[in-house]
Amino acid sequence: MAEPTWPDVLTTVLSRANLSVSEATWAMRQVMEGRATPAQLGGFLLALRAKGESVEEIIGFRDAILEAAVPLDVDPNVLDIVGTGGDRVGTVNISSTASIVIAATGVPVVKHGNKAASSQSGSSDVLSALGIDLRLPPEAVAGVLDRAGITFAWAAAFHPGFRHAGPTRAELGVPTVFNFLGPLVNPARAEANAVGVANADVVPLITGVFRTRGATALVFRGEDGLDELTTTGYSRIWEISRGDVHEFDIHPRDVGLATAQLEDLLGGSPEHNADILRRTLAGEPGAVRDIVLLNAAAGIVAFRLSQDPSQVQRGMIERLAEALVDAAAAIDDGRATAKLEQWIAATRELSAQHSQD
């Protein structure tokens, strides 16, 4: 069978037909290897957006991106908790804070993220402001997980091919498939995933990929549009385990939390959000603590499900409530703050070691 060409691929997408997995893989390989011209890439991304991406296309893109990724040699029996971004609300760094709380309960976390795309402070921005050295070589990133039980895989470092798409994406100035591929291409290939999705139209794609790949995940979005489990009202959860998907609605009062106002959750600069993160880990009560606990609980539930698939037989509210108690205890007894300091120290020590080598 002849290899596809850009005219073939573009003609297919412009006719509103879906690419096969292999065609999508070919197209993304071209991008990752820098062999797609700006005109080819721009036309492709816009045609895809206009048509609407399919699960098969996302699987093909994901496969090509992971194939080109810098290896991260860790046990995949870890959790990634991440949001797609794109809600344009500008909340504090909820998933970053929750990831530290989760790690403090003993769950190994490999968080995948990048600089802010649609907010003032992305995960790498706030973690850098906390003093965590993110510009470590891959073997050091794995070493941080061994030492601290949590590490960060910076997308720009592990997916160097993304740089070929950067200028075109910036010039287009509209959301493209790259905006929601991030949560699917963690180089650790995490067995457990907690993924917040801002755009409701993207949910079937994210859940479809996890379902097809037999992964374990909790995918969720707030009815207020947050790519988090929200505390302003209801959220919807899609639980994926062994190819099955179950849906749930959750309200903060279901797990004993107060209803918040969106303005209580807003953040600012990386330094501002880092200060809020530290205060939250130190036990400061309020709306930020509540939403961090709720999302930490989702991550813990996802990890426990990956360890024991029979957990699907238990009620989601019951499991979230149990995990929320564990997350709160990790903050209140000081483990969360200690975990942050352990993480900072591990990155600094390994950075110093590698600079001497």
Side-chain angles (χ1 to χ4, degrees):
M1 184 174 177
E3 188 174 78
T5 65
W6 276 114
D8 295 334
V9 167
L10 291 170
T11 298
T12 298
V13 177
L14 286 169
S15 69
R16 306 190 74 80
N18 295 331
L19 300 173
S20 67
V21 171
S22 62
E23 288 170 331
T25 300
W26 176 88
M28 189 55 71
R29 279 179 183 152
Q30 297 290 303
V31 177
M32 292 294 100
E33 294 169 6
R35 290 192 278 150
T37 68
Q40 289 166 340
L41 178 58
F44 181 57
L45 293 177
L46 289 179
L48 271 176
R49 194 85 287 270
K51 173 184 74 69
E53 298 85 352
S54 71
V55 171
E56 290 74 17
E57 288 166 345
I58 303 303
I59 289 171
F61 299 154
R62 173 186 182 270
D63 289 350
I65 291 169
L66 285 174
E67 176 186 284
V70 175
L72 178 54
D73 186 19
V74 298
D75 186 336
N77 191 32
V78 296
L79 170 75
D80 185 16
I81 176 168
V82 64
T84 59
D87 59 29
R88 299 195 178 277
V89 176
T91 60
V92 297
N93 295 86
I94 295 164
S95 65
S96 295
T97 313
S99 69
I100 299 167
V101 176
I102 293 166
T105 71
V107 173
V109 176
V110 178
K111 184 161 173 55
H112 185 233
N114 213 338
K115 297 183 77 66
S118 57
S119 65
Q120 296 183 61
S121 177
S123 54
S124 70
D125 303 297
V126 74
L127 295 176
S128 294
L130 288 165
I132 295 169
D133 189 339
L134 303 180
R135 297 180 181 273
L136 295 169
E139 60 271 24
V141 172
V144 172
L145 179 65
D146 292 337
R147 293 188 182 204
I150 182 171
T151 196
F152 184 86
W154 191 37
F158 282 90
H159 301 294
F162 278 3
R163 73 183 186 278
H164 300 303
T168 299
R169 292 177 62 198
E171 289 177 8
L172 290 176
V174 296
T176 70
V177 67
F178 281 98
N179 290 70
F180 55 87
L181 277 169
L184 300 172
V185 294
N186 187 327
R189 294 169 167 79
E191 292 287 346
N193 304 268
V195 181
V197 180
N199 183 348
D201 293 339
V202 172
V203 169
L205 299 176
I206 301 286
T207 57
V209 172
F210 283 132
R211 185 178 187 181
T212 303
R213 286 296 184 245
T216 299
L218 260 60
V219 177
F220 41 82
R221 76 180 293 272
E223 284 197 354
D224 53 8
L226 287 185
D227 63 337
E228 317 281 356
L229 285 180
T230 189
T231 49
T232 70
Y234 281 96
S235 299
R236 173 63 60 92
I237 299 174
W238 293 263
E239 180 181 43
I240 301 102
S241 177
R242 294 187 169 182
D244 292 327
V245 180
H246 303 279
E247 295 185 31
F248 307 89
D249 288 315
I250 173 92
H251 192 278
R253 64 172 172 257
D254 294 336
V255 289
L257 297 175
T259 304
Q261 299 299 312
L262 200 54
E263 53 264 30
D264 298 330
L265 306 174
L266 299 181
S269 68
E271 292 73 23
H272 175 77
N273 286 9
D275 179 60
I276 292 174
L277 186 154
R278 282 191 175 278
R279 298 202 317 259
T280 303
L281 296 186
E284 183 175 281
V288 173
R289 172 190 168 98
D290 289 348
I291 197 168
V292 165
L293 288 178
L294 184 57
N295 284 272
I300 294 168
V301 167
F303 184 76
R304 289 174 177 171
L305 179 62
S306 73
Q307 303 299 291
D308 178 11
S310 71
Q311 289 287 310
V312 295
Q313 298 168 18
R314 302 178 59 216
M316 177 59 69
I317 301 300
E318 178 186 8
R319 286 183 280 152
L320 282 171
E322 286 178 358
L324 194 146
V325 169
D326 293 338
I331 290 177
D332 294 337
D333 64 16
R335 279 178 289 153
T337 293
K339 180 60 64 175
L340 172 60
E341 298 306 326
Q342 185 183 23
W343 189 8
I344 293 169
T347 65
R348 289 179 174 174
E349 289 165 5
L350 284 164
S351 177
Q353 284 183 19
H354 280 271
S355 63
Q356 293 170 2
D357 291 343

